[in-house]
Amino acid sequence: MAPSHFGKQQLFRHLHGFYSWPGGFVENVPTPVNYDLTKNYLDLVVTYTSVILLLSRIEDRKALIGMYNSAHEMIQGSGDPSYARLAQMVLEYDTPLKKLTEEFGPQTKAVSSALLSLHFLFVRRNQSAEQWRSDQLLSLISNSATMLSPASSDVMACEYLSLEVIERWILIGFLLCHGCLSSNPQCLELWKLGLQGSLYISLIRDDALQLHRVTEEFFGRLKGYGKQAADVKECKEHAVAHSGQLHRNRRAFLRNAVRELEALLSHQPGLLGPRALCVFVALSLCRDEVNWLVRHAEHVTKTKTPEDYAGSHIAELLFLMEQLRTLVHRHGPVIQRYHVQYLARFDALLLSDIIQNLTVCPEEESIVMSSFVSTLSSLTLKQATQEKFNFSGLCLDWFRLQAYTSVSKAPMQLHESPDVGRVMNLIMFHSKMLDSLEELVVETSDLSAFCFYVRPFEKLFALTMEEPAMLRFTIVFPLVCSHLPAAPTPLSPPEELQPGLCNSFLEEIAKQAANCIMEHVAPSLSPGKLLPKHCASTISKAQNKKAQKQPPKKGEPERDKPGAESQRKDRIVVSNMDKLHQVLSELSLSINHVPSFTVFKHMVTPSEYLSSYLETQLNRSFVWMASYNQATQAIARPSEVLAGLCSYLAFIQSLGQFTCVDSSRIICNVLLQQTQPLDSSGEQTLTTIYTNWYLEVLLRQASTGAIVLSPAMQAFISVPREGKQSFSAEEFSDISKMRALADDNLMLTCKSADNVLKRMTIIGEILSFRSMAQSGLLRWVCSHRCPFLTGPIECPKDFVTPDMDIKVTLSIFELAIAAGIPWHIDPALVTALSNLKTDSSSPEEEYKSACLLLVFVAVSLPLLASDPFSVYSIEMDGYSNNIHCLAKAIIHVSAALFTIHSKNIETHLKEFLLVRGCGQVSFHTAGLCARAARGEGSGAFYPRPWALQGPS
């Protein structure tokens, strides 16, 4: 233990190293005089006690110390020289409070003196919300005449000093030096006042001390401390009954007061100069209340008033803190320009006058204080824009001066010249406005406790998401993560928690916003209620309006008319749609609050989270609109899906007015994904669903004769058969449905097969169906939606020559067909047939097989005459078994096969007609082939005579 008083050299030796136990240099000196010295001393006492108490909580501390010494001996060859001292210390502090009180016995006078200097400050700061309100705390407009007057105090730093820190000093200090509680009534009053404010005080991170229980147990083991133990019990009951409500009311007051302060400073940022102190006081008060709530929400598990520890409106308080931080950062130059002039033109002159009026001023102290005046007098306004200030030397000199003048027998006693302390405290605050503005913001608004109280942090976020009025402030939870310490320090959060919290908060915000859009708001805008199929009941009721009203059948609820959700009899009545729009507006405000921010060296963009969720939800909603039932093969008509798509996309496009998401990019990404087999989530798209349905359901029934292609009606027609058909083919293949299908950009693929006549007919049906979707309808859509692209796509066909590379030619064909422009060769069919080639077969054998296929088809055509469904219908302009599709299949398959083998297509088709002519060919089928060879009728096309001509 150090002696109670130090000489100068001895004091400097302790100050320049680390504080040992500077016993009496704060003796009988009030805090406003030597604030820095007293604060550091009390911090040292509390930190030392916290370390000892934490050490006592480790059950295996003896084993850990022994293992450490063994490891040190194995590595270094000898044990740690300090091991014996450390082991002895652990043994002595086996009962930590008993040993600590013994050790601090000689320090009782110094500690109690330092704590008593807090009495006036703590009583003034630790007041109820009603008293704050009556005092107009934080209000700049309560007295408009003094609005521009600079805020001032005897000790500026005491105004924003954490109330939580003061409380911890008092409670731990009097626990160690409890002897003064019975001898000094003022100490007893201060101690009891501290016990009534909290149930838990923090030691470090999330380790808290239940002070009432610890103090009561400790005093219960001491003789003559029955009254103090009873006082502790009484204070505990008071804290349990009133502290929760006290802090809840404080939080409510601070929300209103800080909201008013932030609004005024945002409108008049020039007030930040003279009223900067109000900002830091507000930040400090808010920070203390947030930390109190988080600490007690974690440790107080049983209470009769759980609402006092819920904090469903804490998001607004955090948001206002964030706004004040932003104001200070944004208008930092304003604060600097004001205070650089204040230091040079007021503080320097005032300090100079006080120094000259000192009755006792030794040479060393005079030199130090004269250097203060010269440093401040040399400041100019130009430095505020060109230089970075650094007053660390001045602060250290002032700290040394406090040490010089606070020891006993010093020539100059600081407490005898209180004006020096008051002015220097003012100067210290003003200098921090120039060189330590960011550090002061961090000091007064540090919320690093959230790193270690993760569960309460997440619970507060969940409560905020359930409170509609607080949704606009939800963005503050990710923003709090951006202010947490990134450097690895004892107080830093675990690395795994650093980016994870921010990410989970933003995902939840974006998820709720996307769900609100896609599951509630957008479906209400769907034009499904306006479809013709829903108007039958309305027409029936209108026609029978004069008749007696029949009650609706059971199980058939009354259908609301379109637009019923917009009807209002009283605007005060809030509908469900109003609530949903309110939620969406609040979440949009939250997401739009900042375009981006940095969290642990990662750039975070909130709008991207919403964009990602909207893309996923849009993909799912588009698939949901198809209403595909795999069991019954039921599916929505393309025109209905197109109407729904247009409604959804129009609403998403309007979101740009509410949020900062790129709606055009979202729409493009989703539509592009819907043209692929799978979307970004690996789920089926509309393209896959409708492709499979048309191939496996509609065209499969066409192959059985249940559905017939009608060239006259340009649609597939259902043929009445025995048994009930699940759908009407006309509803899925007429012009309007095919245009809707083309507008959805659904490109159907074709499949090859080996069963000659039957498979050739199926291929013809598929090609006919795709020709309807591409040649007429897709081209119609392209010409209306992007006419400026149609011409450039058609142009290359005039430049195709026989000498052109086959790959280039096929690429041109593929581009044209993708835009719905008819072309001679089908590149998709060429690719599909090329993939069927095997490595074992030679090109000559493949070519012979292609020729034999045509011969086989030619000689097999008469077999179709025996089919009873081979009956021509004038109304449909086709056969009941779709054999009129054979012509298209023969031409396209032949063109593809002989393109692969680089043969003359026209020659082989003439040979096909010649072979068929020798075998009593069906005149109608042959006529169709001949017309197709001339490029006439049925949408069939044949290549020009020179097209892809190879050796005959």
Side-chain angles (χ1 to χ4, degrees):
M1 299 302 296
S4 59
H5 300 284
F6 290 104
K8 290 184 180 178
Q9 298 301 326
Q10 188 177 9
L11 177 60
F12 276 147
R13 185 165 60 252
H14 287 281
L15 291 177
H16 282 287
F18 188 68
Y19 279 85
S20 176
W21 286 109
F25 59 87
V26 293
E27 181 179 354
N28 298 324
V29 180
T31 301
V33 176
N34 55 1
Y35 166 82
D36 299 298
L37 205 58
T38 306
K39 179 181 181 298
N40 282 273
Y41 175 62
L42 292 175
D43 279 340
L44 180 61
V45 172
V46 171
T47 302
Y48 178 76
T49 305
S50 299
V51 170
I52 297 300
L53 292 177
L54 286 173
L55 182 63
S56 66
R57 293 184 177 185
I58 303 175
E59 297 181 357
D60 299 328
R61 55 186 178 277
K62 298 178 183 178
L64 290 174
I65 293 173
M67 292 174 60
Y68 163 75
N69 188 61
S70 299
H72 190 282
E73 186 175 357
M74 293 174 61
I75 296 173
Q76 304 294 339
S78 61
D80 191 332
S82 304
Y83 171 70
R85 181 183 174 188
L86 180 61
Q88 182 63 29
M89 178 182 174
V90 171
L91 292 175
E92 290 177 353
Y93 282 91
D94 201 32
T95 53
L97 285 179
K98 181 181 178 181
K99 181 62 177 176
L100 283 170
T101 54
E102 293 175 359
E103 189 173 21
F104 273 89
Q107 304 292 320
T108 300
K109 190 176 181 180
V111 173
S112 61
S113 178
L115 294 177
L116 281 176
S117 67
L118 300 169
H119 186 278
F120 174 77
L121 177 65
F122 187 63
V123 172
R124 181 170 62 86
R125 295 276 303 276
N126 188 31
Q127 294 179 343
S128 64
E130 290 76 12
Q131 187 62 41
W132 283 355
R133 192 173 290 107
S134 65
D135 294 341
Q136 294 290 312
L137 183 66
L138 302 178
S139 177
L140 299 183
I141 60 176
S142 59
N143 188 357
S144 58
T146 61
M147 185 181 295
L148 295 177
S149 300
S152 182
S153 170
D154 286 348
V155 183
M156 301 285 279
C158 285
E159 300 301 323
Y160 56 82
L161 179 63
S162 171
L163 197 62
E164 176 187 355
V165 170
I166 299 175
E167 190 178 71
R168 190 161 60 243
W169 287 346
I170 293 171
L171 296 176
I172 293 180
F174 283 127
L175 180 63
L176 300 177
C177 305
H178 50 77
C180 61
L181 296 177
S182 57
S183 60
N184 191 326
Q186 199 174 15
C187 290
L188 180 63
E189 178 190 355
L190 184 60
W191 175 64
K192 291 174 68 174
L193 187 61
L195 285 172
Q196 293 174 0
S198 301
L199 297 172
Y200 294 87
I201 62 172
S202 61
L203 294 177
I204 186 174
R205 291 189 172 182
D206 56 342
D207 287 297
L209 183 66
Q210 193 175 359
L211 198 72
H212 298 87
R213 181 180 61 82
V214 172
T215 306
E216 188 175 0
E217 291 176 355
F218 178 65
F219 285 170
R221 293 192 296 264
L222 298 177
K223 293 181 180 181
Y225 278 81
K227 185 179 183 304
Q228 285 80 354
D231 289 339
V232 173
K233 187 175 182 180
E234 180 184 350
C235 292
K236 179 182 179 182
E237 293 174 355
H238 184 277
V240 171
H242 301 98
S243 64
Q245 185 178 6
L246 172 71
H247 287 275
R248 183 184 180 187
N249 293 338
R250 283 182 181 178
R251 294 194 297 272
F253 167 79
L254 286 173
R255 286 200 303 273
N256 295 324
V258 178
R259 188 188 307 120
E260 176 189 297
L261 177 66
E262 187 272 333
L264 184 59
L265 293 177
S266 297
H267 187 260
Q268 297 292 337
L271 291 174
L272 283 169
R275 292 294 179 171
L277 180 63
C278 293
V279 175
F280 297 111
V281 172
L283 288 173
S284 179
L285 292 173
C286 294
R287 185 268 319 276
D288 286 341
E289 293 305 317
V290 170
N291 286 343
W292 187 96
L293 175 64
V294 172
R295 185 170 64 253
H296 285 75
E298 173 72 7
H299 296 290
V300 177
T301 55
K302 296 180 181 180
T303 177
K304 295 181 181 179
T305 56
E307 65 276 5
D308 292 340
Y309 305 96
S312 58
H313 293 78
I314 198 67
E316 184 177 5
L317 196 60
L318 293 172
F319 184 82
L320 293 171
M321 291 179 65
E322 178 64 29
Q323 292 294 88
L324 290 180
R325 291 177 61 117
T326 303
L327 281 174
V328 174
H329 291 152
R330 183 182 303 158
H331 302 292
V334 174
I335 299 174
Q336 286 188 329
R337 286 196 298 269
Y338 180 87
H339 285 93
V340 73
Q341 297 177 80
Y342 202 112
L343 284 168
R345 299 179 184 179
F346 180 81
D347 290 340
L349 300 178
L350 181 60
L351 181 60
S352 177
D353 290 342
I354 292 175
I355 294 173
Q356 292 176 7
N357 294 329
L358 288 176
T359 56
V360 178
C361 187
E363 182 181 358
E364 293 185 15
E365 286 79 352
S366 177
I367 293 174
V368 172
M369 287 189 287
S370 297
S371 69
F372 294 165
V373 175
S374 61
T375 300
L376 299 178
S377 302
S378 63
L379 295 175
T380 61
L381 188 59
K382 186 177 181 181
Q383 291 177 274
T385 58
Q386 296 182 354
E387 298 180 15
K388 186 176 181 180
F389 294 100
N390 184 0
F391 292 100
S392 58
L394 186 146
C395 295
L396 183 57
D397 286 342
W398 167 233
F399 191 82
R400 289 172 175 170
L401 187 61
Q402 292 178 66
Y404 272 128
T405 56
S406 296
V407 296
S408 61
K409 299 181 182 180
M412 175 183 174
Q413 293 293 325
L414 191 58
H415 65 88
E416 296 177 355
S417 304
D419 289 341
V420 175
R422 293 188 180 95
V423 173
M424 285 307 301
N425 287 326
L426 187 66
I427 291 173
M428 287 300 101
F429 176 76
H430 292 163
S431 66
K432 288 182 179 180
M433 296 296 97
L434 298 181
D435 70 338
S436 304
L437 189 60
E438 177 61 28
E439 290 79 358
L440 195 57
V441 170
V442 173
E443 178 188 341
T444 54
S445 63
D446 177 38
L447 295 174
S448 58
F450 280 130
C451 299
F452 314 106
Y453 288 100
V454 177
R455 185 171 59 180
F457 196 23
E458 294 174 337
K459 187 176 180 180
L460 290 174
F461 175 75
L463 289 173
T464 303
M465 296 297 291
E466 296 172 0
E467 187 70 30
M470 293 291 107
L471 289 176
R472 65 173 60 192
F473 306 120
T474 51
I475 191 63
V476 76
F477 289 91
L479 290 177
V480 167
C481 297
S482 68
H483 302 314
L484 299 181
T489 66
L491 296 179
S492 296
E495 291 185 3
E496 63 273 10
L497 296 179
Q498 294 181 357
L501 278 175
C502 177
N503 188 61
S504 62
F505 290 151
L506 286 172
E507 284 186 347
E508 186 61 30
I509 295 171
K511 182 180 179 181
Q512 184 159 334
N515 289 341
C516 181
I517 293 169
M518 303 309 303
E519 295 182 6
H520 301 291
V521 179
S524 69
L525 303 174
S526 176
K529 296 180 180 180
L530 301 177
L531 292 175
K533 66 180 182 180
H534 295 313
C535 68
S537 60
T538 305
I539 295 174
S540 177
K541 289 180 181 179
Q543 291 177 345
N544 302 322
K545 181 168 61 173
K546 297 181 181 180
Q548 186 177 0
K549 185 177 180 181
Q550 299 292 333
K553 295 181 180 180
K554 188 177 181 181
E556 295 182 4
E558 192 74 15
R559 183 185 296 273
D560 292 334
K561 293 182 179 180
E565 68 277 358
S566 300
Q567 293 180 352
R568 291 286 187 280
K569 293 183 179 179
D570 187 352
R571 194 61 189 88
I572 299 178
V573 178
V574 180
S575 66
N576 186 50
M577 187 56 59
D578 293 333
K579 296 177 181 178
L580 292 172
H581 278 91
Q582 179 69 19
V583 170
L584 179 58
S585 299
E586 297 291 318
L587 290 173
S588 298
L589 285 174
S590 177
I591 294 173
N592 290 343
H593 180 65
V594 287
S596 62
F597 56 93
T598 303
V599 180
F600 306 111
K601 301 181 181 180
H602 294 276
M603 184 64 70
V604 178
T605 307
S607 60
E608 288 300 315
Y609 285 80
L610 179 57
S611 299
S612 176
Y613 270 97
L614 279 178
E615 287 185 14
T616 303
Q617 294 284 14
L618 271 177
N619 283 322
R620 293 175 180 174
S621 298
F622 288 174
V623 172
W624 170 80
M625 280 189 288
S627 303
Y628 178 61
N629 188 324
Q630 192 170 5
T632 62
Q633 298 296 326
I635 197 169
R637 284 176 285 185
S639 57
E640 297 177 7
V641 175
L642 178 61
L645 288 178
C646 293
S647 175
Y648 267 75
L649 296 180
F651 178 73
I652 295 300
Q653 198 165 12
S654 68
L655 279 180
Q657 303 174 9
F658 301 98
T659 64
C660 53
V661 297
D662 189 348
S663 56
S664 299
R665 190 191 67 179
I666 294 175
I667 292 173
C668 290
N669 289 346
V670 172
L671 292 181
L672 285 174
Q673 290 181 42
Q674 289 300 312
T675 64
Q676 305 302 314
L678 300 175
D679 61 18
S680 59
S681 302
E683 298 180 359
Q684 288 188 339
T685 61
L686 283 175
T687 297
T688 302
I689 292 174
Y690 274 96
T691 298
N692 293 338
W693 188 87
Y694 274 99
L695 289 176
E696 302 298 333
V697 179
L698 190 145
L699 294 180
R700 186 175 294 278
Q701 293 192 23
S703 65
T704 63
I707 296 175
V708 178
L709 172 65
S710 172
M713 301 177 65
Q714 296 188 14
F716 281 86
I717 308 298
S718 296
V719 179
R721 294 286 178 90
E722 293 182 1
K724 184 178 180 181
Q725 196 166 357
S726 59
F727 66 96
S728 174
E730 301 93 304
E731 295 181 356
F732 292 87
S733 60
D734 62 8
I735 292 179
S736 62
K737 306 305 181 298
M738 298 307 293
R739 282 181 178 175
L741 196 64
D743 221 342
D744 291 341
N745 198 21
L746 305 178
M747 304 301 296
L748 303 178
T749 57
C750 61
K751 299 179 180 179
S752 301
D754 301 323
N755 192 351
V756 184
L757 284 181
K758 192 66 176 176
R759 291 296 177 182
M760 288 294 284
T761 304
I762 293 174
I763 293 173
E765 294 167 355
I766 295 173
L767 293 174
S768 299
F769 177 79
R770 200 181 70 167
S771 177
M772 292 167 57
Q774 286 182 333
S775 300
L777 304 177
L778 184 58
R779 187 177 185 182
W780 181 88
V781 172
C782 290
S783 62
H784 281 72
R785 293 297 180 88
C786 46
F788 50 87
L789 288 179
T790 306
I793 294 176
E794 289 181 339
C795 182
K797 70 179 183 180
D798 298 327
F799 298 95
V800 176
T801 62
D803 300 331
M804 186 175 290
D805 185 9
I806 185 62
K807 293 183 179 180
V808 177
T809 304
L810 290 177
S811 299
I812 296 175
F813 291 168
E814 186 174 4
L815 174 65
I817 292 177
I821 301 173
W823 214 258
H824 312 127
I825 308 297
D826 190 339
L829 191 58
V830 173
T831 302
L833 293 175
S834 299
N835 293 335
L836 296 176
K837 296 175 66 176
T838 60
D839 297 336
S840 58
S841 59
S842 62
E844 292 78 9
E845 294 296 327
E846 294 286 347
Y847 171 63
K848 291 179 181 179
S849 298
C851 295
L852 290 176
L853 174 62
L854 281 184
V855 173
F856 186 83
V857 171
V859 299
S860 301
L861 286 177
L863 296 177
L864 298 176
S866 61
D867 190 342
F869 294 104
S870 297
V871 179
Y872 181 75
S873 171
I874 298 177
E875 293 81 5
M876 295 187 298
D877 189 24
Y879 291 86
S880 299
N881 56 1
N882 287 320
I883 61 174
H884 51 284
C885 298
L886 272 173
K888 184 176 288 294
I890 293 171
I891 292 172
H892 280 273
V893 171
S894 301
L897 286 173
F898 296 120
T899 296
I900 295 172
H901 298 291
S902 302
K903 304 297 182 180
N904 189 286
I905 302 172
E906 182 182 3
T907 301
H908 285 84
L909 285 178
K910 287 181 179 179
E911 292 174 353
F912 168 81
L913 293 176
L914 183 61
V915 171
R916 183 58 258 150
C918 297
Q920 299 179 355
V921 68
S922 168
F923 293 106
H924 184 73
T925 303
L928 287 176
C929 292
R931 289 166 58 195
R934 295 193 301 271
E936 301 172 0
S938 302
F941 297 93
Y942 185 71
R944 300 172 185 176
W946 45 262
L948 302 177
Q949 186 170 359
S952 58

